[in-house]
Amino acid sequence: MPDQLSSTTVPASTMVTPGCDCYVHRFGSIAPARRASCYPSDMTDAEWGEVRAAMPVPAWLLARGGRPEAFCHREMLDAVRYLVDNGGKWMALPVDFPYWRAVYDFFRRWRTYDYARELYERLRRSARERKGRNAEPSAGIIDSQSVDASETVGEDSRGYDGGKSRDGRKRHILTDTEGLLLEVTVTTADVHDSKAAPALLETFMDEPGRLLKLVWVDSAYQGPALAKAFARHGVRIEVVRRSDGQRGFVVLARRWVVERTLSWLSRSRRLNRDHERRPDHHQQMVWWAAMIRLSRRMAGDAPRWPEKRPERLLQALA
């Protein structure tokens, strides 16, 4: 896969950059107008400033063929974020976004080249380095979450999870110790956690520069086959168990981090139920949902309830 995430000479945006400075506006042939932000899922200028430097460089700009795109990249990102965050249908995108088919084609193109994962990795590394940590983690946590599937999911790509009483798919995630997503795979819901974990680790460790040495898991991740797969990469497994006699909800060391990440992902309504015909589309939805959370965190622009917004507080104190 060609690396289209290399930096260019185009200056990055900041939270005070006027208008939109995406590649299409700077080097394409579309008008300089910018769509007004009006939905909670829209990127703020501060978020766009974080995302802009890591955006994929289009092939037409690198003289590798293709005609210049006709839609603003920032509008396309906001359109996909709207669908992921609100859980709507592709054909039901609001009319102030580009035509839904163009947005879907944009999503498929990013799925083909795995751009959402690459963009998230760039943001994750930057977020870790700002806290004085290594860009690549040395420890992580693995867990899974089963979700029901709608009628759009075929019988050949769904299963029944008897433990959670879910008929659909299961997403398996690997996070660092801060809860940032490292890798995700999607299987049918009847696949046991210990069977999916080796493939999850293989996908992550196949990339160069990985430093993972320790993974915390629950008691479901056991067995000689799983231990052999992890030992092949020099990764040690540590099982975090509940104490004997404990009942009800208990916060377990390290495991609460990945559980919190799963709850973060569930805030995106597209992930509350599986509507994707293809498992790889569901996987991409997970990356998009994680990207929404991370970009807001890096920009410090998390949505607030109206009564907690700074201007409302100033009015109350006046």
Side-chain angles (χ1 to χ4, degrees):
M1 182 185 75
D3 182 12
Q4 296 193 10
L5 287 167
S6 55
S7 29
T8 66
T9 57
V10 180
S13 302
T14 66
M15 61 184 302
V16 296
T17 301
C20 178
D21 61 348
C22 72
Y23 294 121
V24 182
H25 273 111
R26 283 183 171 269
F27 304 107
S29 58
I30 65 175
R34 174 183 163 187
R35 170 186 162 271
S37 298
C38 55
Y39 304 111
S41 57
D42 289 341
M43 285 185 292
T44 63
D45 289 342
E47 279 187 84
W48 175 243
E50 298 290 347
V51 171
R52 168 64 180 80
M55 277 288 292
V57 181
W60 57 266
L61 186 55
L62 298 176
R64 290 209 295 261
R67 62 181 180 181
E69 297 171 72
F71 298 100
C72 169
H73 285 162
R74 182 169 179 175
E75 289 185 7
M76 287 296 192
L77 290 177
D78 281 341
V80 178
R81 285 165 58 108
Y82 177 91
L83 181 131
V84 175
D85 194 42
N86 295 282
K89 300 177 181 178
W90 285 105
M91 297 180 66
L93 283 174
V95 295
D96 55 333
F97 287 124
Y99 181 55
W100 75 267
R101 186 71 202 191
V103 179
Y104 180 65
D105 289 342
F106 176 86
F107 171 82
R108 288 198 309 170
R109 184 164 61 252
W110 275 48
R111 180 259 303 167
T112 300
Y113 294 103
D114 217 7
Y115 284 158
R117 178 176 180 268
E118 291 292 335
L119 177 55
Y120 182 88
E121 281 204 338
R122 288 288 184 93
L123 296 175
R124 171 178 59 78
R125 290 167 182 162
S126 177
R128 289 179 57 87
E129 289 175 344
R130 289 181 187 181
K131 291 193 172 184
R133 312 189 69 176
N134 289 332
E136 287 294 330
S138 59
I141 312 101
I142 291 179
D143 204 355
S144 66
Q145 183 181 48
S146 297
V147 292
D148 288 321
S150 66
E151 70 282 355
T152 57
V153 179
E155 294 295 332
D156 58 337
S157 64
R158 66 195 295 165
Y160 184 76
D161 183 355
K164 300 295 178 64
S165 298
R166 300 285 188 183
D167 178 21
R169 294 194 180 117
K170 183 184 291 187
R171 42 184 176 253
H172 309 264
I173 68 170
L174 169 66
T175 71
D176 66 4
T177 54
E178 292 187 1
L180 301 180
L181 193 62
L182 300 179
E183 194 55 70
V184 56
T185 59
V186 177
T187 66
T188 57
D190 55 353
V191 174
H192 194 268
D193 294 347
S194 62
K195 302 295 184 182
L200 178 68
L201 183 71
E202 291 280 356
T203 304
F204 179 72
M205 297 298 290
D206 280 347
E207 299 292 332
R210 303 303 193 193
L211 304 176
L212 195 65
K213 296 299 180 183
L214 172 64
V215 172
W216 288 282
V217 296
D218 61 27
S219 56
Y221 295 87
Q222 298 186 63
L226 182 142
K228 182 178 179 181
F230 274 61
R232 185 165 58 250
H233 293 281
V235 178
R236 182 167 58 90
I237 301 177
E238 184 173 316
V239 179
V240 181
R241 304 177 185 273
R242 292 169 61 99
S243 301
D244 294 338
Q246 286 183 333
R247 293 181 178 274
F249 175 76
V250 178
V251 177
L252 299 176
R254 300 297 181 179
R255 279 176 52 188
W256 69 268
V257 175
V258 69
E259 296 288 354
R260 182 184 61 178
T261 301
L262 290 171
S263 70
W264 284 344
L265 295 175
S266 297
R267 293 182 182 180
S268 297
R269 296 188 176 183
R270 187 78 181 192
L271 297 182
N272 289 343
R273 187 177 177 87
D274 190 0
H275 301 278
E276 314 308 324
R277 298 181 185 273
R278 300 168 46 135
D280 57 343
H281 279 201
H282 184 107
Q283 182 179 358
Q284 291 299 308
M285 291 295 179
V286 175
W287 285 115
W288 279 95
M291 195 189 310
I292 294 173
R293 173 73 187 184
L294 181 55
S295 64
R296 287 173 174 171
R297 174 177 173 177
M298 295 179 66
D301 273 347
R304 299 181 176 88
W305 290 106
E307 61 271 14
K308 295 184 179 180
R309 293 174 185 166
E311 60 271 16
R312 295 291 183 89
L313 293 177
L314 292 176
Q315 293 176 5
L317 295 174

